């Protein structure tokens, strides 16, 4: 069993009383794991039939969530195809509380690596706008790549501090998720660093940072909007007391509910979540998307012929990049999908384009598992198809682009994604 910080144990003993023994016992079992079927690509029922990893029943609080077993859940070809996301089971409990409706404006303020953003996106089904924000640049890159892998077509991925974002989006969002950076007491089994870095001082530092983040979220939430605050820690200063303090500063908010998933009571490593509602009031006007010029589409429309049949709206050229953008949102924020780039008058498709297509929309090259693994390693493979760009598919699900030249499929999987 892991060696837990003494001050943490004493606090939990004080809080839990008679339940403390059971709580302590929960550290004797291995960490529970789960995956979430990506409803943008597959239904949970279909996923259950073709899952490449052993599933072990459904996660009660998320309709697409399944407990799963194994040490390499994220290392299968269907994971690379974005068919599922590996997520700690109790971490799936916050997003359903947003009660996402298609067409809403939603902000995930602390979003990397993207578990909850991709979960929100599957409830949105491509309608409305999702702003997925991460303050840390390196983690922002991982967030972007997970959003792409999961085929999300209506997100703007940003790398801003909550304060900067709040200047831009006053009273704008219908729903905001603050999955706050925290002392990570629910991560003790999964990450040794969480135990090492834990201290009473760090809990206080996290609480102060969370209060600041909540203030920015408050500014960005439209009247009548819903705010879901979550952490993966048990510390009351970061959970219940954080919400009490927020309500003291903003008594106009209504606390709808709080949930605390504890590892000795549920099948999960633990999560806290509070649901708040702002009274009706100001909601910022829609941003205006600049009128789209017909000339912006030309190279993409030429490229599409015989390669993909999907239709894209609001096609906009920004520099060399070609994007399909969400309605009523500033073009410069590129909320949508990058379709590709125009280089020397020729269109080169983006990885994000392949990942948001389904099998019926592509004239693809279907490969078996052996060739799919070769492709994911960045290798070329023999291919009898006509010369030109093709989406490589496995079991019908896109993995990325290749360019067929005289019987050889040249690999165009971005280098950073190769295994
Ligand atoms: N929601 C993510 C998911 O489901 O995959 C996990 C988010 S993690 C709990 C919290 C994130 O907040 C981290 O990615 C961290 O870099 C970010 N963060 C750290 N300090 C922050 C700050 N001052 N303001 C906003 N976000 C911050």
């Amino acid at each position: 069993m892991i060696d837990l910080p003494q001050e943490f144990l004493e606090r939990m003993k004080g809080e839990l009383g008679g339940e403390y023994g059971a709580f302590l016992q929960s550290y004797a079992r291995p960490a529970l794991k789960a995956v979430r079927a990506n409803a943008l690509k597959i239904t949970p029922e279909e996923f259950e039939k073709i899952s490449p990893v052993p599933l072990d029943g459904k996660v009660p609080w998320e309709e697409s969530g399944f407990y799963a077993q194994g040490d390499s859940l994220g290392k299968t070809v269907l994971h690379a195809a974005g068919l599922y996301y590996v997520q700690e089971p109790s971490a799936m409990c916050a997003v359903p509380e947003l009660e996402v409706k298609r067409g809403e404006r939603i902000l995930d303020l602390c979003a990397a690596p993207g578990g909850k953003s991709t979960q929100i996106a599957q409830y949105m089904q491509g309608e409305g706008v999702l702003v997925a924000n991460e303050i840390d640049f390196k983690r922002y890159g991982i967030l972007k790549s997970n959003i792409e892998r999961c085929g999300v077509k209506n997100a703007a991925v940003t790398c801003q501090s909550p304060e900067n974002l709040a200047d831009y989006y006053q009273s704008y969002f219908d729903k905001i998720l603050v999955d706050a950076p925290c002392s990570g007491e629910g991560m003790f089994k999964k990450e040794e660093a969480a135990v090492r870095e834990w201290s009473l001082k760090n809990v206080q530092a996290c609480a102060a940072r969370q209060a600041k983040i909540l203030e920015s979220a408050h500014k960005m939430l439209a009247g009548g909007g819903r705010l879901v605050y979550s952490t993966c820690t048990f510390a009351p200063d970061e959970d219940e007391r954080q919400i009490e303090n927020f309500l003291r500063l903003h008594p106009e908010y209504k606390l709808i509910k709080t949930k605390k998933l504890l590892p000795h009571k549920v099948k999960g490593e633990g999560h806290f979540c509070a649901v708040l509602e702002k009274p009706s009031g100001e909601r910022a006007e829609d941003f205006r998307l600049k009128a789209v010029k017909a000339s912006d589409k030309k190279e993409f429309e030429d490229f599409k012929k015989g390669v993909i049949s999907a239709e894209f709206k609001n096609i906009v050229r920004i520099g060399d990049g070609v994007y399909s953008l969400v309605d009523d949102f500033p073009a410069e924020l590129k909320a949508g999908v990058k379709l590709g780039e125009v280089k020397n008058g020729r269109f080169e498709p983006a990885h994000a384009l392949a990942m948001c297509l389904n099998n019926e929309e592509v004239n693809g090259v279907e490969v078996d598992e052996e060739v799919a693994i070769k492709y994911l390693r960045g290798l070329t493979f023999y291919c009898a198809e006509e010369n030109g760009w093709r989406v490589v598919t496995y079991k019908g699900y896109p993995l990325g682009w290749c360019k067929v030249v005289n019987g050889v499929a040249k690999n165009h999987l971005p280098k950073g994604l190769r295994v």
Side-chain angles (χ1 to χ4, degrees), residues 30-102:
L32 286 155
K33 295 178 184 176
V35 297
R36 187 166 38 71
N38 176 8
L40 294 176
K41 294 184 184 243
I42 193 166
T43 63
E45 294 74 29
E46 286 168 55
F47 179 73
E48 212 171 350
K49 288 185 207 144
I50 67 161
S51 171
V53 296
L55 304 180
D56 194 12
K58 293 201 89 168
V59 175
W61 41 85
E62 165 52 61
E63 59 193 11
S64 317
F66 296 90
Y67 292 99
Q69 291 165 358
D71 292 327
S72 14
L73 297 180
K75 292 189 180 150
T76 70
V77 176
L78 287 180
H79 181 267
L83 229 61
Y84 66 97
Y85 193 101
V86 181
Q87 196 174 15
E88 194 285 310
S90 51
M92 295 180 193
C93 77
V95 168
E97 298 299 342
L98 282 170
E99 296 189 354
V100 170
K101 292 186 190 67
R102 296 184 191 189

Side-chain angles (χ1 to χ4, degrees), residues 110-116 134-136 139 162 179-181 209 213:
C110 314
K116 294 186 176 82
E134 168 57 41
I135 195 170
D136 179 294
R139 290 174 64 83
D179 187 33
R209 185 165 51 178
I213 297 173

Side-chain angles (χ1 to χ4, degrees), residues 88 102 108 144 183 242 259 263 344 348:
E88 194 285 310
R102 296 184 191 189
D108 184 358
K144 234 171 134 72
S183 59
Q242 184 67 254
K259 284 200 297 199
N344 302 323
E348 280 200 10

